[in-house]
Every structure is written in C-alpha cells, then in structure tokens.
Amino acid sequence: MKPQITLVTVCYQAEKTIKRTLVSVLEQTYPGIEYIIVDGASKDHTLDIVRAICSRAIVISEPDHGIYDAMNKAIDHATGDYIWFLNAGDVLDSEFTVQRVVEDCLERGHTPEVWPDVLYGDTRILDDEGHDLGPRRLRPPKQLTWRSFRNGMLVCHQAFIAKRTLVQHYHLHYRFSSDFDWCIRILRKAKTIVNTDRDLVGYLKEGITTHNHRASLWERFGIMCRYYGILPTIFRHIKFIFIRNR
C-alpha cells in the first residue's frame, strides 16, 4: 500500500495565478492524490478556470473568514494519509515530485504502519510570472524538530507535509502567521520527521504574509514567546539583529 496525498489549494480572486497551480497538480505522475480547492467565493474567473481544468477535484466555493478558515475547511474534507498545502500561484517542483517523496519513504524502509509523521524539503521563490528567483533565504535544517522554529520558519508551509492524524485546525486568532503556529504544534507531536533533501515547491513571492509583513512578524514573535519563552525569544532577536547589521 502507498499513502494517499491530499493536496490543497485555497484561493480568492486568483484568476491570474491559479492555472499554473492546477496544472502543476494535474501533471503529477503519482496516482494516489486527492485534490481539494477551497475558494472564498471569488467574483472573477477563478472558478471558471478551476472547473475547466480540474473536473475531478473537490471544489468548495463559499465566503470564509480568511485563508486559515479556508484551510480548516479543507482539513475537514480531507481523507488522505497526508495533507500538503499549495496556495494559488505555487507549483510543485516537477511532475515527479509527489511520486519521488513517496518512493523516498519506501527506499528508507517506511511502511504503511510506520509512515513518517512529517516530511519536509526546500523551497524556491517565484515571481508573478512564475520565473524562478532562487532558493528561499531561510533554509531547512538537516534535522528538523519543533525547537528549530526558534530561528524562524525554516521550512516553508508549502514544503511541510503532515500526516493527517496529527493535523489540527489552524488558530483563527492569528491572521497572518497561523501556519507558523500550526507547524510547531504538529512537530511537537511528531515522532518521525523526514527530510526529503529535495526542492519540493516553488512559491509565489507576493503572498498574504508578504503584504502584511510587519503584522506577521509581530504575530510570529508572540508565537515564539509562547513556545520558547519570552526572554530567550527577545535575546535571540537581539542577536539576530546584531549579526545582520555587522
């Protein structure tokens, strides 16, 4: 038996970027994919594009309370062994990405009884036209633990694949950084965390966090204080600023 992967795309007014994400998922060679698209009742042509390209996807289109509320809806509908989020404009690294992730697990001796709790990899940045701008500044560590995020979100949300049995809802009181909190909560419960040592995804540079950068940083700082302590978090940020300005 091989695991089923639930890929999820949440979107709103995404007619300019959604197509490349849909095509990226549909081109995957791995057969065991469930695709869920949660649209926030877009008023442009987003849904027309989705319906024209993804006839077999599970499509939910209704008003929501933001991106994390939409992601929670996807979690409620997901049936796969793993959940993997791709936003509109993001693309999987190649048509073999999902297949290679699964094959890597098999080659390392993992079986359905002991599939890894979390799989992760690296990320490349894309501009609005889909051009590759190079790797993300924060790079994934060789060995990821929940404590790794003391140094920031070293693994991009879109390159973080979690076993569905460990997944909980995103906290909606975080508007811009709930994915940071979500990953930490999953990692705290995870027993087996596997680095794929691969580029998994290209993600669109101009996302919700980018447009609300300052508010996102404040939320992330609060999350760090919650999990890692106030004083250690303050000292770590002071050290980071000092090193960056040297």
Side-chain angles (χ1 to χ4, degrees):
M1 292 179 62
K2 294 182 179 180
Q4 184 181 43
I5 311 295
T6 296
L7 284 163
V8 176
T9 296
V10 300
C11 57
Y12 179 69
Q13 305 286 81
E15 63 180 8
K16 294 181 179 179
T17 57
I18 190 70
K19 182 177 179 179
R20 65 171 176 250
T21 305
L22 304 179
V23 171
S24 171
V25 173
L26 292 178
E27 286 181 342
Q28 291 303 301
T29 56
Y30 186 68
I33 292 177
E34 173 185 64
Y35 193 26
I36 300 176
I37 301 166
V38 183
D39 171 69
S42 293
K43 297 177 177 59
D44 62 3
H45 294 291
T46 299
L47 271 182
D48 296 331
I49 297 170
V50 168
R51 287 167 177 157
I53 297 177
C54 290
S55 59
R56 295 186 179 182
I58 299 170
V59 180
I60 303 164
S61 182
E62 60 189 20
D64 55 49
H65 299 290
I67 187 171
Y68 299 119
D69 182 37
M71 289 178 177
N72 285 343
K73 293 179 183 181
I75 290 171
D76 290 339
H77 284 80
T79 64
D81 298 292
Y82 290 92
I83 296 183
W84 187 347
F85 286 93
L86 294 174
N87 294 332
D90 300 336
V91 296
L92 294 164
D93 187 65
S94 79
E95 66 267 34
F96 306 108
T97 297
V98 177
Q99 180 176 328
R100 285 170 177 163
V101 167
V102 174
E103 288 175 349
D104 285 348
C105 286
L106 295 174
E107 289 174 2
R108 297 182 193 199
H110 295 290
T111 64
E113 293 77 20
V114 289
W115 288 116
D117 292 324
V118 172
L119 298 144
Y120 70 97
D122 213 338
T123 310
R124 302 188 69 82
I125 302 172
L126 307 177
D127 65 14
D128 289 339
E129 302 301 320
H131 300 132
D132 190 333
L133 301 179
R136 186 168 172 259
R137 181 180 63 83
L138 292 178
R139 309 301 296 280
K142 284 294 181 182
Q143 294 182 324
L144 179 70
T145 75
W146 72 274
R147 292 181 177 85
S148 301
F149 279 28
R150 292 178 299 181
N151 298 310
M153 197 164 186
L154 301 184
V155 177
C156 181
H157 183 229
Q158 292 93 320
F160 186 94
I161 310 164
K163 188 179 285 187
R164 185 170 59 88
T165 53
L166 293 182
V167 167
Q168 297 175 318
H169 279 175
Y170 293 83
H171 289 320
L172 298 186
H173 56 270
Y174 297 125
R175 294 184 60 202
F176 310 114
S177 296
S178 195
D179 51 343
F180 184 69
D181 169 80
W182 184 80
C183 289
I184 294 173
R185 284 190 283 134
I186 291 173
L187 289 170
R188 290 183 74 183
K189 296 187 296 181
K191 295 180 180 179
T192 310
I193 302 169
V194 172
N195 185 355
T196 64
D197 290 312
R198 295 184 182 278
D199 289 337
L200 295 182
V201 66
Y203 90 106
L204 184 63
K205 182 180 179 182
E206 298 297 326
I208 183 173
T209 301
T210 305
H211 287 298
N212 300 277
H213 186 62
R214 186 178 296 273
S216 173
L217 289 178
W218 273 113
E219 277 192 357
R220 194 167 296 184
F221 179 80
I223 293 168
M224 288 180 176
C225 289
R226 175 184 174 190
Y227 289 109
Y228 308 122
I230 296 174
L231 289 179
T233 298
I234 292 173
F235 289 142
R236 193 168 290 108
H237 277 74
I238 292 173
K239 181 180 179 181
F240 172 75
I241 293 171
F242 175 76
I243 293 173
R244 189 175 64 177
N245 293 333
R246 286 182 63 180

